[in-house]
Amino acid sequence: QSALTQPASVSGSPGQSITISCTGTSSDVGTYNYVSWYQHHPGKVPKLMIYEVTGRPSGVSNRFSGSKSGNTASLTISGLQAEDEADYYCSSYTSRSTVIFGGGTKLTVL
Amino acid sequence: QVQLVQSGAEMKKPGSSVKVSCRASGGTFSTYTVSWVRQAPGQGPEWMGRIIPFLGMANYPQRFQGRVTITADKSPRTTTVYMDVSGLRSDDTAVYYCARERKGGSYYYGMDVWGQGTTVTVSS
């Protein structure tokens, strides 16, 4: 099963909004509302930002939101801040009862 | 708040095996799903399998079946999960993480607690 497809990089200025896409297939993202997003700063441990497409864990800023349409899930970050600069990964449950990750997107805050 | 504490870095020869442990500190995770995820330099994360310690049943992606074994202590207060990787190759060099999902169950609920990571280096 191939990895979910994410853009390699996105960028935005402080205060702006950006959206990161995550494209899968009908065997994963398209069928199941079990998509999670993680933020990963180099040298640190990944942090769960979104679960089950739209859920936000306690302590995660409401500037982060998730959505899904068809085979594509999206992570939107509004009011960009310098601290948001990191790698972001999506992941999904699959029809084989496994979990698959995306290749990752590097967010640069200009 | 539970923390996951992993065993230390490992240096291994090609063809050998490695066993990494993940201990719950400040709580237990016997009824939660615990996954292993690795990340090689410059690459995205790769899911290696998971277990619900209370049930003791693990599942793996096809590419790791037969080479990866995930087990857990079967005591009522399960506190340690293990991952054994055999037939190591140089491309197994990566940081290996254990991670607990928000709850146990058949689907995927997001991994909200992560171990600190264990670096495994495979080199002759």
Side-chain angles (χ1 to χ4, degrees):
Chain A
Q1 204 153 11
S2 301
L4 304 174
T5 300
Q6 298 181 233
S9 63
V10 298
S11 62
S13 299
Q16 286 186 330
S17 294
I18 63 96
T19 297
I20 300 172
S21 61
C22 169
T23 301
T25 70
S26 58
S27 295
D28 39 67
V29 175
T31 294
Y32 301 100
N33 289 324
Y34 295 105
V35 176
S36 291
W37 289 89
Y38 300 90
Q39 177 191 66
H40 194 190
H41 288 106
K44 292 196 170 182
V45 168
K47 178 183 178 181
L48 178 66
M49 306 303 284
I50 296 290
Y51 63 88
E52 296 173 43
V53 178
T54 60
R56 195 167 48 243
S58 173
V60 171
S61 170
N62 60 9
R63 297 186 298 106
F64 292 81
S65 62
S67 62
K68 191 184 86 167
S69 178
N71 293 340
T72 299
S74 299
L75 173 72
T76 298
I77 309 173
S78 59
L80 266 182
Q81 299 178 1
E83 68 209 47
D84 299 332
E85 185 162 296
D87 296 321
Y88 291 84
Y89 299 98
C90 62
S91 61
S92 174
Y93 182 77
T94 82
S95 59
R96 296 184 181 182
S97 301
T98 60
V99 174
I100 190 170
F101 278 88
T105 298
K106 181 176 179 60
L107 170 61
T108 300
V109 181
L110 303 170
Chain B
Q1 174 74 329
V2 68
Q3 291 184 314
L4 304 185
V5 181
Q6 299 182 220
S7 48
E10 300 268 10
M11 292 276 293
K12 292 291 181 180
K13 300 285 189 188
S16 66
S17 298
V18 68
K19 189 167 188 173
V20 185
S21 67
C22 172
R23 175 177 59 84
S25 173
T28 182
F29 49 22
S30 62
T31 59
Y32 292 81
T33 303
V34 178
S35 284
W36 287 90
V37 177
R38 76 178 183 182
Q39 188 160 21
Q43 298 190 23
E46 188 171 26
W47 184 76
M48 302 185 69
R50 64 183 179 177
I51 190 169
I52 299 178
F54 178 73
L55 297 178
M57 289 170 50
N59 72 301
Y60 312 93
Q62 190 171 10
R63 65 169 272 149
F64 289 121
Q65 281 180 356
R67 205 161 76 88
V68 172
T69 304
I70 298 172
T71 55
D73 282 345
K74 289 186 178 159
S75 58
R77 290 172 54 83
T78 303
T79 60
T80 306
V81 171
Y82 304 90
M83 181 188 63
D84 203 314
V85 184
S86 62
L88 288 169
R89 306 183 293 253
S90 59
D91 61 1
D92 289 317
T93 295
V95 178
Y96 289 74
Y97 296 97
C98 61
R100 189 200 76 172
E101 289 189 34
R102 292 173 49 254
K103 56 187 178 182
S106 301
Y107 294 105
Y108 173 53
Y109 307 104
M111 305 172 201
D112 63 344
V113 183
W114 291 68
Q116 83 276 20
T118 297
T119 299
V120 176
T121 304
V122 183
S123 174
S124 55

